[in-house]
Amino acid sequence: MLTKMEILALSLANNQNSHYQLNQPFWWLHYRVDPKTYLADLVTQGYLTITKDPLIVLPHYTVAQLKTFLRFEGLKISGRKADLVRRINQQCEPRLIGQTFSLQFYQVTELGAQILRQNSYLRIIHNHYAPGIIDYKQAGLIKLPHSGLSERETIMQLLVAADEQAADTGYWSRRYLVAHLTFQNNYEWRRYGSALSGLLQSIAIELAGLSMAQPNFNLEQLLRQHDVLDYRLTYYKIEDYYVVVLKQLMTEFNLTLPDILANFSQLRKQLRLPFQLFSDQEMDQIIGYSLAGDELQLQHLYGQAQQNWNKKMGQ
């Protein structure tokens, strides 16, 4: 019976050049395993094979290379790449094809394909790996189904579970990362409503001063740092990338600043922030100034907030 990591190796090797190797430092760092013998073992056990099948090999060559071969053989060179591959496979001698196109590739066997279908979650998690959030331990904790879920369903189940766990323990830096991953993944999947929610949650946690807060985070110690809200240095402002994407979403869906702020207010209440570096009104102003690119107003607002905190802390 294969381990999770061996099944993942099987998935990664499929359709790769036979010289393909698993990156040992990466696997040890992330998964604490040494995959050195995995591929050879998978071949020996019948889950993986090395093939010279032209239908597998030829698509890995360029159109120019395929046309050159066809031209030498006096055959038509017109059509798409798939047409060229089919023409070579059907009209040329296998021996000549093998001599000219000498690459070999790993290919899963039917037994290997069956194992991959039963464990599709492994590759999805690997592709989106985030320690403590999207990983195999988390998948085991929430009893994530090994197959049958789409990529989005798999990732969102893990993100929701990680956010609930972080909320229970006051792990705000993890909640921030979950919000960012929710935004990032949904943006890539073109789920723009969910992407906007994740983006605004990320901004709320940043402006609250909680984006790096571990459980039992010492807020008083943070506030005693004189430059915590120095606009040139602070972590607690909206990242340029967030501003760019927020502008894109507003343009794409004809959203106004009041629309964004209404959504932001609702999400901020849902988060139940235990602490805020900035008041609700100041947060709204920061979003408005950031979207307008008004650096002077932002510097003034941050400077005033720093002075107010210094007075509160008796500095």
Side-chain angles (χ1 to χ4, degrees):
M1 184 174 179
L2 297 180
T3 66
K4 290 195 294 288
M5 294 298 97
E6 288 171 328
I7 297 171
L8 176 60
L10 177 65
S11 174
L12 292 170
N14 190 32
N15 290 323
Q16 294 285 354
N17 187 296
S18 60
H19 296 299
Y20 172 75
Q21 294 183 344
L22 300 169
N23 187 315
Q24 290 177 251
F26 172 88
W27 282 67
W28 180 253
L29 176 65
H30 291 280
Y31 303 138
R32 289 293 184 265
V33 296
D34 183 352
K36 183 167 53 179
T37 65
Y38 281 5
L39 299 184
D41 291 344
L42 289 167
V43 171
T44 300
Q45 296 169 31
Y47 296 102
L48 193 64
T49 187
I50 297 176
T51 181
K52 298 180 181 179
D53 183 347
L55 292 178
I56 301 297
V57 172
L58 293 175
H60 291 273
Y61 286 84
T62 66
V63 169
Q65 289 171 316
L66 299 177
K67 285 185 175 181
T68 297
F69 178 80
L70 286 166
R71 190 178 290 112
F72 276 123
E73 292 302 301
L75 298 171
K76 289 170 53 178
I77 63 170
S78 60
R80 297 175 177 272
K81 190 174 189 178
D83 299 322
L84 306 181
V85 168
R86 186 164 49 250
R87 195 172 298 140
I88 292 172
N89 187 55
Q90 293 176 352
Q91 299 184 36
C92 299
E93 294 183 16
R95 179 185 58 80
L96 182 59
I97 296 173
Q99 289 177 346
T100 307
F101 303 100
S102 58
L103 294 179
Q104 302 178 62
F105 289 85
Y106 284 116
Q107 185 75 15
V108 295
T109 63
E110 181 52 42
L111 179 61
Q114 181 180 354
I115 293 293
L116 294 183
R117 286 192 295 270
Q118 294 170 349
N119 295 275
S120 57
Y121 82 113
L122 292 172
R123 182 65 178 271
I124 294 173
I125 290 177
H126 174 78
N127 290 345
H128 294 267
Y129 182 79
I133 299 174
I134 303 173
D135 63 16
Y136 302 113
K137 181 178 180 180
Q138 179 76 350
L141 288 174
I142 68 170
K143 296 182 170 57
L144 184 77
H146 289 193
S147 61
L149 296 180
S150 68
E151 177 186 51
R152 182 176 185 274
E153 290 169 334
T154 300
I155 298 306
M156 290 310 300
Q157 281 200 25
L158 289 166
L159 289 174
V160 168
D163 188 58
E164 291 174 350
Q165 294 164 8
D168 289 340
T169 58
Y171 200 161
W172 281 95
S173 60
R174 178 153 293 179
R175 294 201 73 183
Y176 170 72
L177 184 53
V178 169
H180 175 79
L181 291 171
T182 299
F183 149 64
Q184 188 176 54
N185 284 296
N186 278 289
Y187 189 71
E188 291 176 0
W189 297 324
R190 300 181 183 274
R191 300 277 185 144
Y192 294 123
S194 298
L196 179 60
S197 294
L199 175 56
L200 293 177
Q201 285 180 350
S202 300
I203 290 173
I205 296 172
E206 275 187 328
L207 297 184
L210 297 168
S211 61
M212 295 186 288
Q214 306 287 324
N216 303 315
F217 183 64
N218 190 327
L219 291 170
E220 182 176 339
Q221 185 178 9
L222 166 68
L223 295 173
R224 290 192 180 280
Q225 299 173 24
H226 288 282
D227 62 351
V228 68
L229 291 179
D230 184 328
Y231 186 69
R232 299 165 301 173
L233 307 172
T234 185
Y235 293 104
Y236 307 112
K237 60 183 178 183
I238 305 176
E239 298 176 28
D240 292 342
Y241 173 58
Y242 287 168
V243 174
V244 170
V245 174
L246 191 51
K247 286 181 178 179
Q248 290 176 347
L249 293 175
M250 291 175 70
T251 301
E252 180 76 18
F253 297 100
N254 197 28
L255 298 173
T256 64
L257 179 58
D259 294 329
I260 294 298
L261 295 182
N263 197 346
F264 184 60
S265 176
Q266 182 179 6
L267 290 169
R268 193 170 54 221
K269 291 175 183 176
Q270 291 174 1
L271 284 171
R272 297 181 180 179
L273 300 166
F275 168 85
Q276 292 183 198
L277 276 175
F278 299 98
S279 67
D280 291 351
Q281 181 181 2
E282 287 171 332
M283 285 190 180
D284 289 351
Q285 289 175 327
I286 290 171
I287 290 179
Y289 295 150
S290 296
L291 288 170
D294 196 334
E295 294 288 317
L296 289 177
Q297 289 285 13
L298 284 167
Q299 289 182 32
H300 175 74
L301 190 154
Y302 274 76
Q304 189 62 51
Q306 182 70 71
Q307 291 178 24
N308 292 339
W309 278 112
N310 288 346
K311 289 177 182 178
K312 288 183 181 181
M313 300 304 295
Q315 295 178 354

